[in-house]
């Protein structure tokens, strides 16, 4: 008998609908994907500020705060990166169930990764944002100096250099961070979220 056969989810008395009513907004996962240096976390942080001003309960997840904690046991092999994203999706799903808007900023390099995320988080609970920025622009920014290290061979399996990045085929929103400012990207995102009633207008 598999260990999973002995598990039965407990039905708690406080429902998601009650938590959302208390928060005065729905739970949601806003998932930003794109190359390192594309501006995912910067845009997510600016968006979170706007949502916070609208009295919305939010939390941001990104590579550093996840890999320094719950996923500190994982490396950067293809298998570990896949497991990294699986765990993040499961965490984000719990946040949404808690009635919180979670902003997840992760490279999420392949369609297989995105499909796995979609198999975990219900479609109505997630918005996919592709921060589409050319590799050469990301590399010029090189905010953390990672591309330089990857070019020197000091970092292996680095997305865009010696590991593939597949352009997102079906994002809900595509943000061209090399053509628009951070605030313009935030406004484009808010316009979509409002028009689709994913979040309420202030």
């Amino acid at each position: 008998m598999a260990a999973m056969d002995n598990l039965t989810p407990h039905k708690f008395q406080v429902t998601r609908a009650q938590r959302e009513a208390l928060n005065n907004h729905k739970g949601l996962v806003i998932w930003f994907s794109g190359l390192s240096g594309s501006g995912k976390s910067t845009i997510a942080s600016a968006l979170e500020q706007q949502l916070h001003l609208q009295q919305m309960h939010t939390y941001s997840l990104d590579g550093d705060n996840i890999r320094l904690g719950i996923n500190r046991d994982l490396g950067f092999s293809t298998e570990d990166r896949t497991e990294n994203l699986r765990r993040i999706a499961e965490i984000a799903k719990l946040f949404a169930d808690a009635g919180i808007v979670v902003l997840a900023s992760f490279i999420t390099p392949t369609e297989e990764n995105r499909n796995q995320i979609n198999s975990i988080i219900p479609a109505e609970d997630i918005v996919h944002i592709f921060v589409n920025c050319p590799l050469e622009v990301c590399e010029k920014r090189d905010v953390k100096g990672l591309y330089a290290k990857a070019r020197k061979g000091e970092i292996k399996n680095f997305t865009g250099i010696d590991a593939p990045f597949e352009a997102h085929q079906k994002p809900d929103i595509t943000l061209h961070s090399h053509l628009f400012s951070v605030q313009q990207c935030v406004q484009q995102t808010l316009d979509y979220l409002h028009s689709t009633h994913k979040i309420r207008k202030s």
Side-chain angles (χ1 to χ4, degrees):
M1 179 180 291
M4 295 291 287
D5 294 337
N6 295 319
L7 301 179
T8 303
H10 187 83
K11 293 183 179 180
F12 293 98
Q13 295 184 45
V14 177
T15 67
R16 174 174 175 170
Q18 290 172 316
R19 290 190 287 269
E20 290 179 333
L22 184 64
N23 291 345
N24 197 30
H25 62 78
K26 295 180 179 179
L28 183 67
V29 178
I30 305 174
W31 194 289
F32 294 82
S33 62
L35 288 166
S36 177
S38 62
K40 301 183 299 300
S41 294
T42 301
I43 296 169
S45 179
L47 175 61
E48 184 178 26
Q49 286 182 301
Q50 290 299 312
L51 297 178
H52 183 74
L53 290 173
Q54 295 178 29
Q55 305 297 309
M56 301 187 76
H57 298 256
T58 63
Y59 196 81
S60 286
L61 300 172
D62 70 10
D64 290 340
N65 67 16
I66 288 292
R67 282 190 173 274
L68 289 172
I70 195 167
N71 286 352
R72 65 189 303 169
D73 60 318
L74 298 177
F76 290 89
S77 66
T78 299
E79 294 76 14
D80 278 3
R81 295 179 77 178
T82 298
E83 174 61 12
N84 180 56
L85 292 171
R86 187 196 67 79
R87 293 184 192 179
I88 294 161
E90 294 285 3
I91 293 168
K93 180 181 178 181
L94 294 176
F95 270 100
D97 188 60
I100 294 171
V101 177
V102 57
L103 301 95
S105 305
F106 298 93
I107 293 173
T108 325
T110 69
E111 282 296 287
E112 183 177 356
N113 293 148
R114 296 161 203 146
N115 289 336
Q116 181 187 46
I117 291 163
N118 289 336
S119 73
I120 295 169
I121 304 173
E124 63 270 19
D125 287 345
I126 189 167
V127 172
H128 283 281
I129 300 179
F130 176 28
V131 184
N132 189 358
C133 186
L135 174 61
E136 57 269 24
V137 175
C138 295
E139 196 164 357
K140 284 179 181 178
R141 292 173 179 171
D142 206 6
V143 182
K144 301 177 181 178
L146 300 177
Y147 283 102
K149 291 182 178 180
R151 290 291 186 188
K152 294 176 183 177
E154 296 174 9
I155 300 177
K156 301 296 184 182
N157 201 28
F158 189 79
T159 305
I161 303 301
D162 59 350
F165 181 87
E166 300 172 5
H168 204 311
Q169 297 301 308
K170 298 177 181 178
D172 296 298
I173 314 171
T174 297
L175 301 177
H176 297 279
S177 61
H178 59 301
L179 300 177
F180 298 96
S181 69
V182 171
Q183 288 306 318
Q184 286 174 318
C185 288
V186 168
Q187 190 58 55
Q188 290 171 27
T189 303
L190 286 172
D191 288 345
Y192 173 84
L193 294 173
H194 291 150
S195 68
T196 56
H197 305 290
K198 293 290 186 181
I199 63 170
R200 55 172 168 75
K201 289 188 177 182
S202 59

